[in-house]
Amino acid sequence: MPRFFIERLESPAVLTGEDAAHIQKSLRMREGDALTLCDGRGKEADAAIASCAPGMVTCTFSQVRPSLSEPAVRLSLFQAWPKGDKADWIVQKATELGVSEIRFLLTEFCVARPKPQDMERKLARLQKIANEAAKQCGRGALPAVSGFLTLREAAGEMKRSETALFFYERSTSPLNGLLPAKTASLSYLVGSEGGFSEAEARLLEGAGIPAASLGRRVLRCETAPIAAAAAFLYHFGEV
């Protein structure tokens, strides 16, 4: 069923702009057709189109419910900025897997370093990618994409979660040994193409964030966050 995000789940709900155009021109939906409306924060409703006008679609619904597609554990990805278009892939796939927020940071080995005037534009584009991925995969919440943090700032933010860890190619600590049986929130940090320096690893471990391994193979910076998210979801019984 087509899914659209609105600010408030209040009936009747009015969709305009790109959403209205997509409903009328691309999907060719008409009065009485069913769709799902979400507030982007984990609640949704089954709705029906009540009326269509140029650039405007009005929908009605009666009951709001929690979205069943959201994981019970809140996953927060802290990702060192990669080069090229790898951030697009990371945001899209992390959203599909159920990550709740994606925060970018700049670390010592980041090859790409966006200019301050380009950061806002890049983040806005990535947020749009996350929004489209959330619609496509049936999410009930829109992941927030933000940046850019320093490593020290990221460590402070990560400590707000019940569980926090970072992936380090020199770590020999298996992931399963660092994960509790249950947690409400988990923050994890992945490096850029060059990983983390020894000084950065010491900073994170000194902040109480343990280093974890994703196995004996070195994963690319765009593969590691996705593999980790899938491992978390399996461990916590979400898949």
PDB file of all heavy atoms in Angstrom, residues 75 93-94 96-99 167 175-176 179 188 214 223-239:
ATOM      1  N   LEU A  75      18.532   2.202  16.868  1.00  0.00           N
ATOM      2  CA  LEU A  75      19.897   2.137  16.344  1.00  0.00           C
ATOM      3  C   LEU A  75      20.329   3.510  15.846  1.00  0.00           C
ATOM      4  O   LEU A  75      19.642   4.134  15.035  1.00  0.00           O
ATOM      5  CB  LEU A  75      19.989   1.131  15.192  1.00  0.00           C
ATOM      6  CG  LEU A  75      19.714  -0.340  15.534  1.00  0.00           C
ATOM      7  CD1 LEU A  75      19.814  -1.186  14.270  1.00  0.00           C
ATOM      8  CD2 LEU A  75      20.672  -0.836  16.591  1.00  0.00           C
ATOM      9  N   LYS A  93      20.553   2.235   2.645  1.00  0.00           N
ATOM     10  CA  LYS A  93      20.468   0.867   3.179  1.00  0.00           C
ATOM     11  C   LYS A  93      20.280   0.859   4.691  1.00  0.00           C
ATOM     12  O   LYS A  93      19.581  -0.009   5.226  1.00  0.00           O
ATOM     13  CB  LYS A  93      21.704   0.062   2.775  1.00  0.00           C
ATOM     14  CG  LYS A  93      21.909  -0.029   1.275  1.00  0.00           C
ATOM     15  CD  LYS A  93      20.633  -0.455   0.544  1.00  0.00           C
ATOM     16  CE  LYS A  93      20.784  -0.383  -0.962  1.00  0.00           C
ATOM     17  NZ  LYS A  93      19.496  -0.629  -1.662  1.00  0.00           N
ATOM     18  N   ALA A  94      20.900   1.800   5.401  1.00  0.00           N
ATOM     19  CA  ALA A  94      20.693   1.875   6.844  1.00  0.00           C
ATOM     20  C   ALA A  94      19.233   2.185   7.155  1.00  0.00           C
ATOM     21  O   ALA A  94      18.649   1.639   8.095  1.00  0.00           O
ATOM     22  CB  ALA A  94      21.606   2.927   7.457  1.00  0.00           C
ATOM     23  N   GLU A  96      16.639   1.391   5.258  1.00  0.00           N
ATOM     24  CA  GLU A  96      15.863   0.184   4.956  1.00  0.00           C
ATOM     25  C   GLU A  96      15.943  -0.829   6.094  1.00  0.00           C
ATOM     26  O   GLU A  96      14.967  -1.543   6.375  1.00  0.00           O
ATOM     27  CB  GLU A  96      16.368  -0.456   3.663  1.00  0.00           C
ATOM     28  CG  GLU A  96      16.046   0.348   2.415  1.00  0.00           C
ATOM     29  CD  GLU A  96      16.591  -0.302   1.154  1.00  0.00           C
ATOM     30  OE1 GLU A  96      16.956  -1.493   1.212  1.00  0.00           O
ATOM     31  OE2 GLU A  96      16.676   0.378   0.121  1.00  0.00           O
ATOM     32  N   LEU A  97      17.094  -0.905   6.767  1.00  0.00           N
ATOM     33  CA  LEU A  97      17.275  -1.878   7.835  1.00  0.00           C
ATOM     34  C   LEU A  97      16.654  -1.434   9.156  1.00  0.00           C
ATOM     35  O   LEU A  97      16.496  -2.246  10.061  1.00  0.00           O
ATOM     36  CB  LEU A  97      18.764  -2.167   8.027  1.00  0.00           C
ATOM     37  CG  LEU A  97      19.368  -3.116   6.996  1.00  0.00           C
ATOM     38  CD1 LEU A  97      20.886  -3.124   7.090  1.00  0.00           C
ATOM     39  CD2 LEU A  97      18.831  -4.532   7.198  1.00  0.00           C
ATOM     40  N   GLY A  98      16.317  -0.155   9.290  1.00  0.00           N
ATOM     41  CA  GLY A  98      15.645   0.290  10.504  1.00  0.00           C
ATOM     42  C   GLY A  98      16.455   1.199  11.399  1.00  0.00           C
ATOM     43  O   GLY A  98      16.056   1.445  12.544  1.00  0.00           O
ATOM     44  N   VAL A  99      17.586   1.716  10.918  1.00  0.00           N
ATOM     45  CA  VAL A  99      18.385   2.648  11.717  1.00  0.00           C
ATOM     46  C   VAL A  99      17.585   3.922  11.963  1.00  0.00           C
ATOM     47  O   VAL A  99      16.919   4.443  11.060  1.00  0.00           O
ATOM     48  CB  VAL A  99      19.714   2.965  11.006  1.00  0.00           C
ATOM     49  CG1 VAL A  99      20.461   4.105  11.691  1.00  0.00           C
ATOM     50  CG2 VAL A  99      20.588   1.715  10.969  1.00  0.00           C
ATOM     51  N   PHE A 167      33.631   0.098  15.641  1.00  0.00           N
ATOM     52  CA  PHE A 167      34.280  -0.990  14.914  1.00  0.00           C
ATOM     53  C   PHE A 167      35.689  -0.572  14.514  1.00  0.00           C
ATOM     54  O   PHE A 167      35.893   0.487  13.922  1.00  0.00           O
ATOM     55  CB  PHE A 167      33.439  -1.389  13.700  1.00  0.00           C
ATOM     56  CG  PHE A 167      32.161  -2.061  14.090  1.00  0.00           C
ATOM     57  CD1 PHE A 167      30.952  -1.369  14.068  1.00  0.00           C
ATOM     58  CD2 PHE A 167      32.157  -3.376  14.516  1.00  0.00           C
ATOM     59  CE1 PHE A 167      29.776  -1.980  14.465  1.00  0.00           C
ATOM     60  CE2 PHE A 167      30.987  -3.999  14.915  1.00  0.00           C
ATOM     61  CZ  PHE A 167      29.785  -3.303  14.882  1.00  0.00           C
ATOM     62  N   LEU A 175      31.740  -9.351  18.285  1.00  0.00           N
ATOM     63  CA  LEU A 175      30.582  -8.488  18.499  1.00  0.00           C
ATOM     64  C   LEU A 175      29.622  -9.071  19.516  1.00  0.00           C
ATOM     65  O   LEU A 175      29.122  -8.356  20.406  1.00  0.00           O
ATOM     66  CB  LEU A 175      29.869  -8.257  17.159  1.00  0.00           C
ATOM     67  CG  LEU A 175      28.636  -7.353  17.183  1.00  0.00           C
ATOM     68  CD1 LEU A 175      28.970  -5.984  17.738  1.00  0.00           C
ATOM     69  CD2 LEU A 175      28.054  -7.237  15.779  1.00  0.00           C
ATOM     70  N   ASN A 176      29.341 -10.359  19.441  1.00  0.00           N
ATOM     71  CA  ASN A 176      28.377 -10.972  20.348  1.00  0.00           C
ATOM     72  C   ASN A 176      28.768 -10.810  21.809  1.00  0.00           C
ATOM     73  O   ASN A 176      27.911 -10.717  22.687  1.00  0.00           O
ATOM     74  CB  ASN A 176      28.207 -12.457  20.024  1.00  0.00           C
ATOM     75  CG  ASN A 176      27.289 -12.688  18.846  1.00  0.00           C
ATOM     76  OD1 ASN A 176      26.553 -11.791  18.449  1.00  0.00           O
ATOM     77  ND2 ASN A 176      27.329 -13.877  18.269  1.00  0.00           N
ATOM     78  N   LEU A 179      27.532  -7.321  23.166  1.00  0.00           N
ATOM     79  CA  LEU A 179      26.117  -6.957  23.105  1.00  0.00           C
ATOM     80  C   LEU A 179      25.340  -7.571  24.266  1.00  0.00           C
ATOM     81  O   LEU A 179      25.470  -8.764  24.543  1.00  0.00           O
ATOM     82  CB  LEU A 179      25.504  -7.417  21.783  1.00  0.00           C
ATOM     83  CG  LEU A 179      26.032  -6.755  20.516  1.00  0.00           C
ATOM     84  CD1 LEU A 179      25.372  -7.380  19.294  1.00  0.00           C
ATOM     85  CD2 LEU A 179      25.788  -5.249  20.543  1.00  0.00           C
ATOM     86  N   TYR A 188      26.489   3.029  17.301  1.00  0.00           N
ATOM     87  CA  TYR A 188      27.708   2.395  16.802  1.00  0.00           C
ATOM     88  C   TYR A 188      28.405   3.323  15.817  1.00  0.00           C
ATOM     89  O   TYR A 188      27.769   4.096  15.109  1.00  0.00           O
ATOM     90  CB  TYR A 188      27.422   1.028  16.208  1.00  0.00           C
ATOM     91  CG  TYR A 188      26.605   0.986  14.929  1.00  0.00           C
ATOM     92  CD1 TYR A 188      27.200   0.633  13.717  1.00  0.00           C
ATOM     93  CD2 TYR A 188      25.236   1.240  14.929  1.00  0.00           C
ATOM     94  CE1 TYR A 188      26.453   0.551  12.548  1.00  0.00           C
ATOM     95  CE2 TYR A 188      24.487   1.163  13.774  1.00  0.00           C
ATOM     96  CZ  TYR A 188      25.101   0.818  12.577  1.00  0.00           C
ATOM     97  OH  TYR A 188      24.360   0.734  11.414  1.00  0.00           O
ATOM     98  N   LEU A 214      34.268  -6.989  13.305  1.00  0.00           N
ATOM     99  CA  LEU A 214      33.245  -7.550  12.413  1.00  0.00           C
ATOM    100  C   LEU A 214      33.774  -8.774  11.674  1.00  0.00           C
ATOM    101  O   LEU A 214      33.284  -9.122  10.612  1.00  0.00           O
ATOM    102  CB  LEU A 214      32.773  -6.490  11.415  1.00  0.00           C
ATOM    103  CG  LEU A 214      31.605  -5.615  11.867  1.00  0.00           C
ATOM    104  CD1 LEU A 214      31.360  -4.492  10.875  1.00  0.00           C
ATOM    105  CD2 LEU A 214      30.336  -6.429  12.077  1.00  0.00           C
ATOM    106  N   THR A 223      30.241  -0.977   3.591  1.00  0.00           N
ATOM    107  CA  THR A 223      29.722  -2.306   3.901  1.00  0.00           C
ATOM    108  C   THR A 223      29.555  -2.509   5.397  1.00  0.00           C
ATOM    109  O   THR A 223      28.558  -3.079   5.857  1.00  0.00           O
ATOM    110  CB  THR A 223      30.669  -3.388   3.347  1.00  0.00           C
ATOM    111  OG1 THR A 223      30.880  -3.182   1.956  1.00  0.00           O
ATOM    112  CG2 THR A 223      30.107  -4.783   3.574  1.00  0.00           C
ATOM    113  N   ALA A 224      30.525  -2.029   6.175  1.00  0.00           N
ATOM    114  CA  ALA A 224      30.539  -2.271   7.619  1.00  0.00           C
ATOM    115  C   ALA A 224      29.279  -1.797   8.342  1.00  0.00           C
ATOM    116  O   ALA A 224      28.720  -2.553   9.154  1.00  0.00           O
ATOM    117  CB  ALA A 224      31.785  -1.641   8.234  1.00  0.00           C
ATOM    118  N   PRO A 225      28.774  -0.564   8.096  1.00  0.00           N
ATOM    119  CA  PRO A 225      27.590  -0.139   8.854  1.00  0.00           C
ATOM    120  C   PRO A 225      26.342  -0.947   8.536  1.00  0.00           C
ATOM    121  O   PRO A 225      25.479  -1.123   9.402  1.00  0.00           O
ATOM    122  CB  PRO A 225      27.419   1.335   8.450  1.00  0.00           C
ATOM    123  CG  PRO A 225      28.115   1.462   7.134  1.00  0.00           C
ATOM    124  CD  PRO A 225      29.263   0.519   7.208  1.00  0.00           C
ATOM    125  N   ILE A 226      26.261  -1.444   7.320  1.00  0.00           N
ATOM    126  CA  ILE A 226      25.092  -2.241   6.925  1.00  0.00           C
ATOM    127  C   ILE A 226      25.189  -3.644   7.511  1.00  0.00           C
ATOM    128  O   ILE A 226      24.203  -4.181   8.046  1.00  0.00           O
ATOM    129  CB  ILE A 226      24.977  -2.288   5.394  1.00  0.00           C
ATOM    130  CG1 ILE A 226      25.027  -0.870   4.806  1.00  0.00           C
ATOM    131  CG2 ILE A 226      23.705  -3.003   4.982  1.00  0.00           C
ATOM    132  CD1 ILE A 226      24.068   0.108   5.439  1.00  0.00           C
ATOM    133  N   ALA A 227      26.381  -4.245   7.436  1.00  0.00           N
ATOM    134  CA  ALA A 227      26.584  -5.568   8.032  1.00  0.00           C
ATOM    135  C   ALA A 227      26.336  -5.515   9.535  1.00  0.00           C
ATOM    136  O   ALA A 227      25.718  -6.423  10.108  1.00  0.00           O
ATOM    137  CB  ALA A 227      28.003  -6.054   7.744  1.00  0.00           C
ATOM    138  N   ALA A 228      26.792  -4.447  10.174  1.00  0.00           N
ATOM    139  CA  ALA A 228      26.610  -4.313  11.618  1.00  0.00           C
ATOM    140  C   ALA A 228      25.137  -4.188  11.973  1.00  0.00           C
ATOM    141  O   ALA A 228      24.656  -4.829  12.918  1.00  0.00           O
ATOM    142  CB  ALA A 228      27.383  -3.108  12.127  1.00  0.00           C
ATOM    143  N   ALA A 229      24.391  -3.365  11.242  1.00  0.00           N
ATOM    144  CA  ALA A 229      22.968  -3.190  11.527  1.00  0.00           C
ATOM    145  C   ALA A 229      22.220  -4.518  11.401  1.00  0.00           C
ATOM    146  O   ALA A 229      21.361  -4.842  12.238  1.00  0.00           O
ATOM    147  CB  ALA A 229      22.361  -2.142  10.600  1.00  0.00           C
ATOM    148  N   ALA A 230      22.551  -5.289  10.376  1.00  0.00           N
ATOM    149  CA  ALA A 230      21.903  -6.589  10.201  1.00  0.00           C
ATOM    150  C   ALA A 230      22.249  -7.520  11.367  1.00  0.00           C
ATOM    151  O   ALA A 230      21.385  -8.253  11.859  1.00  0.00           O
ATOM    152  CB  ALA A 230      22.333  -7.211   8.874  1.00  0.00           C
ATOM    153  N   ALA A 231      23.502  -7.479  11.819  1.00  0.00           N
ATOM    154  CA  ALA A 231      23.919  -8.320  12.946  1.00  0.00           C
ATOM    155  C   ALA A 231      23.191  -7.917  14.221  1.00  0.00           C
ATOM    156  O   ALA A 231      22.771  -8.768  15.006  1.00  0.00           O
ATOM    157  CB  ALA A 231      25.431  -8.215  13.131  1.00  0.00           C
ATOM    158  N   PHE A 232      23.036  -6.615  14.443  1.00  0.00           N
ATOM    159  CA  PHE A 232      22.309  -6.143  15.624  1.00  0.00           C
ATOM    160  C   PHE A 232      20.868  -6.637  15.609  1.00  0.00           C
ATOM    161  O   PHE A 232      20.347  -7.133  16.616  1.00  0.00           O
ATOM    162  CB  PHE A 232      22.311  -4.617  15.681  1.00  0.00           C
ATOM    163  CG  PHE A 232      23.666  -3.986  15.848  1.00  0.00           C
ATOM    164  CD1 PHE A 232      23.958  -2.776  15.225  1.00  0.00           C
ATOM    165  CD2 PHE A 232      24.647  -4.581  16.617  1.00  0.00           C
ATOM    166  CE1 PHE A 232      25.195  -2.180  15.380  1.00  0.00           C
ATOM    167  CE2 PHE A 232      25.894  -4.003  16.773  1.00  0.00           C
ATOM    168  CZ  PHE A 232      26.167  -2.791  16.155  1.00  0.00           C
ATOM    169  N   LEU A 233      20.211  -6.472  14.487  1.00  0.00           N
ATOM    170  CA  LEU A 233      18.804  -6.856  14.384  1.00  0.00           C
ATOM    171  C   LEU A 233      18.624  -8.368  14.609  1.00  0.00           C
ATOM    172  O   LEU A 233      17.657  -8.802  15.249  1.00  0.00           O
ATOM    173  CB  LEU A 233      18.242  -6.447  13.029  1.00  0.00           C
ATOM    174  CG  LEU A 233      18.153  -4.940  12.799  1.00  0.00           C
ATOM    175  CD1 LEU A 233      17.763  -4.649  11.350  1.00  0.00           C
ATOM    176  CD2 LEU A 233      17.173  -4.289  13.758  1.00  0.00           C
ATOM    177  N   TYR A 234      19.561  -9.145  14.083  1.00  0.00           N
ATOM    178  CA  TYR A 234      19.496 -10.598  14.312  1.00  0.00           C
ATOM    179  C   TYR A 234      19.695 -10.915  15.795  1.00  0.00           C
ATOM    180  O   TYR A 234      18.957 -11.714  16.378  1.00  0.00           O
ATOM    181  CB  TYR A 234      20.540 -11.301  13.461  1.00  0.00           C
ATOM    182  CG  TYR A 234      20.541 -12.796  13.651  1.00  0.00           C
ATOM    183  CD1 TYR A 234      19.588 -13.602  13.021  1.00  0.00           C
ATOM    184  CD2 TYR A 234      21.476 -13.413  14.493  1.00  0.00           C
ATOM    185  CE1 TYR A 234      19.581 -14.983  13.209  1.00  0.00           C
ATOM    186  CE2 TYR A 234      21.474 -14.780  14.687  1.00  0.00           C
ATOM    187  CZ  TYR A 234      20.514 -15.566  14.048  1.00  0.00           C
ATOM    188  OH  TYR A 234      20.503 -16.915  14.247  1.00  0.00           O
ATOM    189  N   HIS A 235      20.688 -10.279  16.395  1.00  0.00           N
ATOM    190  CA  HIS A 235      20.994 -10.547  17.794  1.00  0.00           C
ATOM    191  C   HIS A 235      19.802 -10.227  18.688  1.00  0.00           C
ATOM    192  O   HIS A 235      19.521 -10.983  19.644  1.00  0.00           O
ATOM    193  CB  HIS A 235      22.204  -9.705  18.223  1.00  0.00           C
ATOM    194  CG  HIS A 235      22.560  -9.835  19.673  1.00  0.00           C
ATOM    195  ND1 HIS A 235      23.364 -10.845  20.152  1.00  0.00           N
ATOM    196  CD2 HIS A 235      22.183  -9.089  20.767  1.00  0.00           C
ATOM    197  CE1 HIS A 235      23.486 -10.717  21.475  1.00  0.00           C
ATOM    198  NE2 HIS A 235      22.784  -9.670  21.861  1.00  0.00           N
ATOM    199  N   PHE A 236      19.102  -9.138  18.410  1.00  0.00           N
ATOM    200  CA  PHE A 236      17.994  -8.717  19.264  1.00  0.00           C
ATOM    201  C   PHE A 236      16.647  -9.285  18.813  1.00  0.00           C
ATOM    202  O   PHE A 236      15.585  -8.838  19.271  1.00  0.00           O
ATOM    203  CB  PHE A 236      17.927  -7.195  19.311  1.00  0.00           C
ATOM    204  CG  PHE A 236      19.115  -6.574  19.997  1.00  0.00           C
ATOM    205  CD1 PHE A 236      19.965  -5.721  19.304  1.00  0.00           C
ATOM    206  CD2 PHE A 236      19.393  -6.845  21.333  1.00  0.00           C
ATOM    207  CE1 PHE A 236      21.073  -5.163  19.931  1.00  0.00           C
ATOM    208  CE2 PHE A 236      20.504  -6.289  21.962  1.00  0.00           C
ATOM    209  CZ  PHE A 236      21.339  -5.440  21.270  1.00  0.00           C
ATOM    210  N   GLY A 237      16.669 -10.253  17.914  1.00  0.00           N
ATOM    211  CA  GLY A 237      15.446 -10.961  17.512  1.00  0.00           C
ATOM    212  C   GLY A 237      14.520 -10.144  16.644  1.00  0.00           C
ATOM    213  O   GLY A 237      13.303 -10.366  16.652  1.00  0.00           O
ATOM    214  N   GLU A 238      15.085  -9.213  15.850  1.00  0.00           N
ATOM    215  CA  GLU A 238      14.258  -8.353  15.002  1.00  0.00           C
ATOM    216  C   GLU A 238      14.142  -8.876  13.568  1.00  0.00           C
ATOM    217  O   GLU A 238      13.407  -8.314  12.772  1.00  0.00           O
ATOM    218  CB  GLU A 238      14.849  -6.932  14.976  1.00  0.00           C
ATOM    219  CG  GLU A 238      14.778  -6.204  16.306  1.00  0.00           C
ATOM    220  CD  GLU A 238      13.377  -5.728  16.648  1.00  0.00           C
ATOM    221  OE1 GLU A 238      12.520  -5.744  15.757  1.00  0.00           O
ATOM    222  OE2 GLU A 238      13.149  -5.327  17.798  1.00  0.00           O
ATOM    223  N   VAL A 239      14.862  -9.934  13.250  1.00  0.00           N
ATOM    224  CA  VAL A 239      14.764 -10.528  11.910  1.00  0.00           C
ATOM    225  C   VAL A 239      14.650 -12.035  12.046  1.00  0.00           C
ATOM    226  O   VAL A 239      15.011 -12.598  13.074  1.00  0.00           O
ATOM    227  CB  VAL A 239      15.968 -10.178  11.017  1.00  0.00           C
ATOM    228  CG1 VAL A 239      15.992  -8.698  10.708  1.00  0.00           C
ATOM    229  CG2 VAL A 239      17.283 -10.590  11.657  1.00  0.00           C
TER     230      VAL A 239
END
